[in-house]
Amino acid sequence: MLSANQSADWVMHAEARAERVAARFREKFTGEPELWARAPGRVDLMGSHTDYNRGFVLTLPISRDTWIAARRRDDAKVRVHSMNLDDDDEFGLGDIAPISGSRWCNYVRGVAATLRNEGLALTGCDAVVHSTVPVEAGLSSSAALECALATVFEALGGWRLTPERKALLCQKAENEFVGVQCGILDQYSSCLGREGCALLLDCRDLSTRAVWIADGIRIVVCNTMSQRRLSGGEYAQRRAECERGAAILGVSALRDVTPEMLAAGRSELPERVAKRCEFIAAESARAESLAVALTEGDRPAVARLCAESFAGARDLYEICSPAMMDMMDAMLAAPGVIGARQAGAGFGGCMVALVDSTLTDTFRAAVLEAYRSTTQVVAEIYPVEAAPGAAVFDRGKIGG
Ligand code: GLA
């Protein structure tokens, strides 16, 4: 929801943030909001591109999140203001169409249209959106917006969705209304987060397991500040290559491919498809392994799994940009690093490091300096906490 270079200023104490949002609400709509909802972004710790291959992902819903302050209207209209983009939208709930050229509005409209098409009663509202998730940086700013908005409609409408169903409906909005063919990772992470733990998501049966991270390990997101180059087209291409590989190997999804099956079928596969298959099969297994290693605090295993993941992303799945290579070097050379790898879809955006928590500040300073001296770009570094999933909150009870 915000341009990358704005984001540092936007992370503020919760009370100060709430006051800024409430002030903007008064300015735009007069009076006070009656309802507050929030939904987190996410960083994947392991499992790049495994979600649409029905594999495992180890994901962390993060303390960077999207807030919506809202108040009901009785005329079936939705008026929404984005503080990050200083932009507005207005539409009637009776006939919701996509708007051209302004994508954030389509996430809002898409969620409304999808919930309405499910037969859920929607109440009109005035709403102000504020996010601390950097936009188009691979931390799921769009899912955070979708899931926060679905939570607003849920609360105003007086009905309840399970977090799983909410996530699936938000994904449907993104797939069908916005036209982005994402998997389930982002919305599931945003809806099913649990405070203090990562989630091991099984993208076949859509079950999640809480994964505790051993004391002393801190998750630090490192933003390359580079645009995710051609990620839309490249993403669709990777999906198509995976589907082709699964069809040739005779499985419904690459999740089911074992190293033996791959070895036996390799000569049937075009070279590039074979590389994609090899990466996905290993990456899904690594997500399960990293869950164990993180809970046990097995730092050598964390380092090895992250290194294997990055090498596969670079050489087999081919989603690493030059900026990501430079950031990887900076992260691996910094004091306190335990492991580091790509995050999100790749092609730029954010990466993730697992860092000794006593050295987080030193790590941050060293990465900033090394990355700036190689690229002349000032990176952004976000140490993050595991955050709970999308929910309403009581403004009166937020603290530091
Ligand atoms: C994007 C998509 C997700 C997932 C990741 C890669 O974030 O939205 O569904 O495929 O890329 O793991």
Side-chain angles (χ1 to χ4, degrees):
M1 291 301 301
L2 36 108
S3 79
N5 62 5
Q6 281 178 304
S7 58
D9 298 339
W10 285 79
V11 179
M12 54 190 108
H13 185 284
E15 185 46 49
R17 184 178 174 192
E19 190 38 50
R20 272 176 83 160
V21 175
R24 186 65 65 92
F25 191 94
R26 276 177 226 123
E27 197 184 297
K28 282 277 159 188
F29 303 121
T30 68
E32 297 295 321
E34 65 176 83
L35 175 81
W36 293 73
R38 53 160 294 284
R42 64 98 190 91
V43 65
D44 50 304
L45 303 179
M46 188 63 72
S48 296
H49 294 259
T50 51
D51 64 346
Y52 54 83
N53 288 297
R54 308 270 178 267
F56 286 97
V57 196
L58 185 62
T59 175
L60 188 80
I62 56 175
S63 40
R64 286 199 165 230
D65 58 8
T66 294
W67 286 12
I68 301 182
R71 188 183 56 210
R72 77 187 58 234
R73 298 174 58 93
D74 54 19
D75 60 359
K77 260 193 201 155
V78 173
R79 294 192 302 172
V80 55
H81 170 73
S82 162
M83 286 180 69
N84 303 85
L85 302 172
D86 197 17
D87 196 17
D88 302 278
D89 190 28
E90 178 173 334
F91 57 93
L93 289 169
D95 179 26
I96 310 170
I99 186 170
S100 64
S102 179
R103 289 207 8 211
W104 81 274
C105 301
N106 285 334
Y107 292 112
V108 172
R109 290 171 177 230
V111 168
T114 306
L115 296 174
R116 191 203 53 194
N117 292 346
E118 284 294 296
L120 296 161
L122 296 194
T123 306
C125 60
D126 291 332
V128 168
V129 180
H130 178 263
S131 185
T132 56
V133 187
V135 75
E136 293 203 350
L139 299 182
S140 294
S141 60
S142 49
L145 173 58
E146 292 156 5
C147 300
L149 189 74
T151 304
V152 166
F153 282 126
E154 182 183 33
L156 291 177
W159 34 264
R160 283 303 290 256
L161 296 173
T162 62
E164 290 85 354
R165 181 151 176 243
K166 191 187 290 181
L168 286 164
L169 290 172
C170 289
Q171 183 201 18
K172 189 172 188 196
E174 185 150 349
N175 289 169
E176 295 176 10
F177 194 94
V178 183
V180 174
Q181 292 310 308
C182 60
I184 190 59
L185 168 63
D186 305 345
Q187 293 79 10
Y188 237 66
S189 303
S190 192
C191 288
L192 277 99
R194 281 180 55 178
E195 194 152 14
C197 60
L199 298 175
L200 184 65
L201 165 59
D202 179 337
C203 298
R204 165 150 286 152
D205 64 13
L206 296 183
S207 61
T208 52
R209 206 181 79 210
V211 174
W212 302 96
I213 300 177
D215 285 348
I217 300 180
R218 189 76 197 267
I219 310 301
V220 182
V221 173
C222 298
N223 190 344
T224 64
M225 312 298 280
S226 66
Q227 284 294 323
R228 289 186 299 161
R229 175 182 58 90
L230 293 178
S231 58
E234 298 270 3
Y235 186 86
Q237 195 190 336
R238 296 298 179 286
R239 282 192 79 136
E241 288 161 351
C242 289
E243 280 161 23
R244 185 145 177 238
I248 295 172
L249 292 169
V251 293
S252 63
L254 289 185
R255 142 78 172 266
D256 298 321
V257 172
T258 61
E260 295 73 34
M261 287 164 75
L262 191 57
R266 195 162 186 126
S267 59
E268 311 291 318
L269 298 168
E271 181 51 27
R272 192 191 291 171
V273 172
K275 290 202 289 189
R276 309 300 192 235
C277 295
E278 189 182 336
F279 174 73
I280 294 299
E283 182 76 354
S284 179
R286 277 192 290 265
E288 291 184 275
S289 304
L290 187 67
V292 176
L294 273 183
T295 301
E296 291 177 350
D298 181 347
R299 295 183 179 200
V302 171
R304 179 179 51 77
L305 291 163
C306 290
E308 287 172 8
S309 177
F310 182 75
R314 183 189 60 210
D315 303 334
L316 299 173
Y317 220 66
E318 298 176 285
I319 53 173
C320 293
S321 63
M324 290 170 66
M325 313 278 191
D326 291 333
M327 181 58 85
M328 189 68 183
D329 290 343
M331 292 189 293
L332 288 180
V337 68
I338 300 167
R341 65 183 284 282
Q342 70 283 357
F347 307 106
C350 288
M351 301 182 73
V352 63
L354 298 101
V355 177
D356 184 307
S357 55
T358 62
L359 292 169
T360 309
D361 290 342
T362 325
F363 171 86
R364 183 174 182 280
V367 170
L368 281 173
E369 179 49 33
Y371 189 71
R372 193 171 56 84
S373 81
T374 325
T375 63
Q376 280 72 60
V377 172
V378 180
E380 288 188 355
I381 314 287
Y382 325 123
V384 291
E385 314 287 343
V392 294
F393 66 92
D394 182 346
R395 195 205 149 174
K397 291 198 182 138
I398 53 178

